[in-house]
């Protein structure tokens, strides 16, 4: 399974354990590296820059041949810690950064000076062309089967459009839960896959057992889109609580969103409130079961160690 991604990151298999807010952690990435794949953690999973620095130090000393590690940076204004996080990543070093939401220009320039590769989340050709021009090393093509903030195009449509029009490697994100899915994405022309949801139900994940078990008990047909977390549609498991609160933004949010001056602030406040609520649902036993996951949990049959999840993906 040698591809441009395995060459870029010096990994054994063309798989990235995708960054997941609140879920990804050092323990998962260590096991990912030992399994011959890359692992990525959102920088936002660390409250302070010192905690981020400590995570990098631990991963650097745990790095083994055939594995690699990186961090995800939210590069738009909703992330007030962005500048500090970028500085720490460049000072301490990591193999790659995945950027999301916003222009990756500064990240690409700074990271490249530090010898770090930059992959950028995109959902359409226009943005892909932009990040290619800015010097991105690869594109993460987020399709309409992804968990979290998904794209609009099917895996096949998106990959084809990008490989026909861009010259950097395309890594497909979304909808991969088994070997056949990996082979399918590679046959469409992707150089690798970024896999998130199937790793939620891992022993190492830092979320409650209820959340992990829900990924086992529910399947693809239980995933719905909700605007109730951050305002931006996001995939969640359709638990009785989600059914009770509904998936549409409230009338008051819609009203505030229509006001152009207020819109930016409403978005930032909404984002922060939503993230705190999701954190409670993911990390504490609560009746407010709003759990983010994508349809690829269909293949999740048990809570397993990361190593076993990788082995299942490859078999
Ligand atoms: C629980 C969860 C949290 C996520 N958090 C982030 C995040 O913080 N940053 C990001 O760029 N993508 C995030 N994603 C998207 C993943 O990185 C990846 O693109 C997606 O999981 C791929 O789809 P899959 O879940 O079908 O594998 C998240 C996805 C999930 C399921």
């Amino acid at each position: 399974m040698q591809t441009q991604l395995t060459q870029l990151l010096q990994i054994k298999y063309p798989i990235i354990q995708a960054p997941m807010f609140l879920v990804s952690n050092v323990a998962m990435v260590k096991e990912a590296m030992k399994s011959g794949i890359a692992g990525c953690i959102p920088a936002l999973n660390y409250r302070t820059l010192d905690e981020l620095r400590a995570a990098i130090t631990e991963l650097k000393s745990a790095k083994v041949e055939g594995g690699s590690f990186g961090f995800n940076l939210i590069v738009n204004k909703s992330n007030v810690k962005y500048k500090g996080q970028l500085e720490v990543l460049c000072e301490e070093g990591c193999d790659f950064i995945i950027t999301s939401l916003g222009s990756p220009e500064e990240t690409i320039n700074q990271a490249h000076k530090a010898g770090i590769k930059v992959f950028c989340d995109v959902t359409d050709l226009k943005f892909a062309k932009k990040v290619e021009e800015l010097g991105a090393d690869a594109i993460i093509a987020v399709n309409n089967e992804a968990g979290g903030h998904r794209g609009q195009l099917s895996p096949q449509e998106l990959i084809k459009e990008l490989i026909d029009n861009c010259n950097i490697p395309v890594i497909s994100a979304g909808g991969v839960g088994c070997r056949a899915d990996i082979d399918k994405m590679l046959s469409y022309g992707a150089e690798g896959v970024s896999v998130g949801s199937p790793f939620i139900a891992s022993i190492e994940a830092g979320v409650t057992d209820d959340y992990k078990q829900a990924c086992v008990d529910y399947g693809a047909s239980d995933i719905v889109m909700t605007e109730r977390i951050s305002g931006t549609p996001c995939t969640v498991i359709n638990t009785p609580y989600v059914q009770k609160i509904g998936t549409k933004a409230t009338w008051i949010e819609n009203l505030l969103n229509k006001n152009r001056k207020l819109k930016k602030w409403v978005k930032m406040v909404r984002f922060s409130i939503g993230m705190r609520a999701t954190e409670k649902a993911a990390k504490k036993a609560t009746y407010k079961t709003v759990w983010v996951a994508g349809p690829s949990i269909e293949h999740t049959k048990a809570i397993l160690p990361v190593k076993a999840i990788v082995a299942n993906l490859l078999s």
Side-chain angles (χ1 to χ4, degrees):
M1 291 179 95
Q2 292 303 296
T3 69
Q4 289 185 55
L5 179 64
T6 59
Q7 279 163 19
L8 262 176
L9 293 182
Q10 296 294 301
I11 50 180
K12 207 162 162 200
Y13 306 106
I15 303 174
I16 297 174
Q17 183 187 79
M20 290 185 285
F21 183 59
L22 304 170
V23 179
S24 310
N25 60 22
V26 165
M28 289 169 74
V29 174
K30 276 185 183 171
E31 291 307 307
M33 290 199 286
K34 281 193 221 154
S35 309
I37 68 169
C40 190
I41 305 176
L44 271 179
N45 280 8
Y46 300 97
R47 282 182 199 279
T48 66
L49 296 179
D50 282 344
E51 284 175 27
L52 175 62
R53 210 179 280 278
I56 302 172
T57 308
E58 204 178 332
L59 287 171
K60 277 200 285 196
S61 63
K63 200 176 157 184
V64 287
E65 213 186 299
S68 112
F69 72 92
F71 288 85
N72 166 232
L73 265 188
I74 299 219
V75 294
N76 75 1
K77 291 200 180 83
S78 70
N79 179 13
V80 289
K81 296 183 190 146
Y82 154 72
K83 292 253 181 213
Q85 290 168 339
L86 178 60
E87 219 173 275
V88 169
L89 291 176
C90 292
E91 267 170 33
E92 296 295 329
C94 62
D95 299 313
F96 64 100
I97 292 175
I98 295 179
T99 65
S100 43
L101 305 174
S103 171
E105 185 167 11
E106 185 183 26
T107 303
I108 293 173
N109 293 338
Q110 298 302 320
H112 280 177
K113 277 188 215 148
I116 301 169
K117 302 207 162 51
V118 182
F119 304 159
C120 303
D121 274 356
V122 313
T123 55
D124 61 29
L125 178 61
K126 194 168 161 222
F127 197 59
K129 294 294 281 180
K130 180 177 172 187
V131 304
E132 179 175 29
E133 246 166 57
L134 292 173
D137 297 282
I139 298 163
I140 309 263
V142 184
N143 59 50
N144 65 359
E145 293 179 17
H149 300 301
R150 66 185 182 193
Q152 298 85 41
L153 298 179
S154 72
Q156 188 171 14
E157 276 176 297
L158 185 58
I159 296 169
K160 187 169 178 344
E161 181 147 73
L162 298 182
I163 59 168
D164 284 351
N165 295 287
C166 301
N167 295 308
I168 51 177
V170 173
I171 300 156
S172 185
V176 170
C178 64
R179 175 62 185 254
D181 294 333
I182 300 178
D183 292 343
K184 204 168 60 185
M185 302 307 172
L186 298 184
S187 78
Y188 296 153
E191 296 292 332
V193 291
S194 181
V195 181
S197 301
F199 288 102
I200 300 171
S202 63
I203 305 264
E204 293 86 353
V207 295
T208 62
D209 284 343
D210 286 347
Y211 183 3
K212 296 179 189 182
Q213 191 58 41
C215 292
V216 175
D217 295 340
Y218 289 86
S221 59
D222 300 305
I223 301 302
V224 291
M225 299 289 284
T226 183
E227 296 167 0
R228 296 299 299 273
I229 294 184
S230 64
T232 310
C234 178
T235 64
V236 293
I237 298 175
N238 198 17
T239 57
Y241 180 72
V242 167
Q243 289 167 35
K244 190 177 132 204
I245 61 171
T247 51
K248 292 270 163 257
T250 59
W251 66 270
I252 195 153
E253 280 162 359
N254 284 331
L255 193 70
L256 291 169
N257 275 332
K258 279 196 193 123
N259 183 317
R260 283 182 61 196
K261 273 194 193 141
L262 278 176
K263 201 172 163 182
K264 190 175 126 200
W265 298 105
V266 171
K267 235 183 164 164
M268 279 173 72
V269 172
R270 193 74 196 85
F271 188 79
S272 149
I273 294 173
M275 287 307 137
R276 255 178 279 145
T278 324
E279 180 166 9
K280 267 195 198 147
K283 301 264 184 185
K284 290 189 184 113
T286 150
Y287 74 98
K288 291 184 174 175
T289 46
V290 182
W291 292 318
V292 178
S296 54
I297 56 166
E298 180 71 22
H299 299 269
T300 300
K301 301 293 175 219
I303 301 172
L304 295 170
V306 163
K307 245 185 208 169
I309 297 172
V310 176
N312 285 345
L313 279 171
L314 289 168
S315 66

